[in-house]
């Protein structure tokens, strides 16, 4: 399939009243964090979105009302249809084509094997037909964006099955994944198994992965409640449905990530440029993300603008309080393989370059990448703000995520607890666990090898 550059024009969208958007933001959310759903989204600007698992569609539930301030359309697939049911009954139900909604009941039972093999095989042809239907409506297919959590069954299992299908059927099209990793203290006991098995598939078949941790989202929401200068955000967090405040943070990042493909800009960064600039080695494609501001609207007392505002955005985006995953790319032993900063709104190139030089002085780059920094500048700011900034880093500190994943898996697998739930699923073998662990451990070793290849400090020759 031929890849085309997207047009730089804004597309018209149906007008939605403010109260309708508010009502849509309050669409019912199930009181769970890790169950199962799959969804496909198609932008008129030719990027297809695929939220997977109930968490993925909860994000979609928050995404579409906010995205109405810009524009979007969607295809949804769900193995437990409570979230999609809420969307179809809500004020934005007209956005969704019923022929592109695939649902099932009762889900995948928090079992990766059920989602990947049972549902993956049963719904394989239907999913392929639905995706093809969406693709054929795109005049310039730009890429796929899959969203799901890794703790449940459908998000981790069916989501990665569809990812593999996309690799087979559309090998030349980028496959970007935004996935939510579960916290240690969770309500799904088998989450370490599901996350490990899904991560192996993401390493093998994704073009780029943007991991998000539930713990980071919770910390951000708790911090927002303490910031008394933004009553709008506080009221939103207090009155929103369960997990809606967390999902809105993810939405903020995704809208920012795709802004260069949807809006004009003097130095736009398209989604297909992300992998080209940030992924130096095929399997080292996990990308750290941090965004500023995190609030849905600017504080009412905020008077900063211009250079001072941009400087503040850079300070905040490098802060651990704004990171969507709990790793520290600024620590001394961490190595930056590649980096990008994408700004939206009123930002000058000179201010961007000045702050990026400050960034270079704070981190350790590989010898072959320290002079390179991808910059994106989209002219259209997020709704409610003058400017915003997204930081993307390919860093060796990402190995901490994989180390924690292997640790949690080993703790559960040491006693072979709950393994029989997986081995009784047709197509799954126990060796899948060990193969997945081996691939992830190999990735950890690759990061360590790069950290150990730092340029030695050789003193200059003296002329006598």
């Amino acid at each position: 399939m031929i890849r085309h550059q997207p047009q730089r024009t804004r597309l018209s969208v149906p007008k939605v009243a403010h109260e309708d958007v508010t009502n849509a933001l309050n669409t019912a959310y199930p009181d769970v964090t890790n169950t199962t759903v799959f969804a496909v989204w198609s932008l008129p600007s030719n990027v297809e979105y695929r939220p997977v698992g109930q968490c993925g569609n909860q994000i979609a539930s928050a995404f579409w009302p906010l995205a109405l301030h810009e524009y979007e359309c969607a295809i949804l697939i769900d193995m437990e249809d409570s979230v999609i049911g809420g969307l179809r009954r809500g004020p934005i139900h007209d956005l969704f084509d019923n022929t592109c909604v695939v649902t099932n009941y009762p889900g995948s039972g928090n079992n990766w094997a059920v989602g990947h093999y049972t549902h993956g095989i049963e719904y394989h042809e239907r999913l392929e037909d639905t995706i093809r239907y969406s693709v054929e409506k795109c005049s310039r297919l730009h890429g796929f964006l899959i969203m799901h959590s890794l703790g449940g069954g459908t998000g981790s299992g069916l989501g990665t099955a569809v990812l593999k299908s996309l690799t087979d059927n559309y090998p030349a099209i980028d496959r970007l994944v935004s996935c939510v990793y579960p916290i240690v203290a969770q309500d799904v006991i088998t989450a370490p198994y599901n996350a490990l098995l899904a991560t192996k598939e993401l390493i093998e078949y994704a073009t780029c992965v943007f991991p998000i941790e539930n713990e980071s989202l919770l910390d951000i929401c708790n911090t927002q409640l303490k910031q008394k200068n933004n009553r709008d955000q506080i009221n939103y967090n207090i009155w929103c449905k369960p997990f809606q405040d967390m999902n809105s943070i993810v939405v903020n990042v995704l809208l920012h990530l795709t802004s260069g493909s949807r809006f004009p800009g003097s130095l736009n960064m398209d989604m297909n440029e992300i992998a080209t600039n940030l992924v130096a080695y095929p399997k080292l494609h996990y990308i750290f993300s941090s965004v500023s501001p995190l609030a849905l609207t600017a504080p009412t007392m905020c008077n900063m603008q211009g250079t001072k505002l941009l400087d503040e955005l850079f300070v905040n985006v490098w802060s651990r309080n704004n990171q969507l995953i709990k790793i520290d790319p600024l620590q001394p032993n961490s190595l930056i393989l590649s980096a990008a900063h994408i700004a939206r709104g009123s930002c000058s190139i000179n201010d961007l370059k000045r702050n990026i030089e400050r960034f270079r002085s704070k981190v350790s780059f590989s010898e072959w990448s320290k002079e390179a920094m991808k910059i994106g500048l989209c002219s259209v700011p997020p709704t409610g703000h003058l400017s915003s900034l997204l930081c993307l880093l390919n860093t060796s500190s990402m190995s901490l995520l994989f180390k924690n994943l292997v640790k949690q898996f080993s703790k559960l697998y040491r006693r072979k607890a709950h393994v029989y739930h997986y081995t009784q699923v047709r197509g799954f073998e126990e060796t899948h666990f060990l193969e997945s662990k081996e691939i992830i451990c190999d990735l950890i070793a690759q990061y360590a090898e790069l950290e150990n290849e730092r340029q030695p400090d050789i003193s200059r020759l003296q002329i006598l």
Side-chain angles (χ1 to χ4, degrees), residues 5 14-15 26 39 50 251 263 318 353 363 368 404 410:
Q5 290 295 328
K15 293 183 179 179
N26 291 322
R50 290 175 161 71
V251 170
F263 293 118
W318 299 330
K353 290 182 176 179
V363 299
W368 41 266
N404 289 337
S410 299

Side-chain angles (χ1 to χ4, degrees), residues 342-359:
I342 306 173
R344 293 185 66 179
S346 178
C347 302
S348 72
I349 297 296
N350 289 336
D351 286 337
L352 283 173
K353 290 182 176 179
R354 176 173 51 80
N355 278 285
I356 284 172
E357 288 304 317
R358 290 170 53 204
F359 174 73

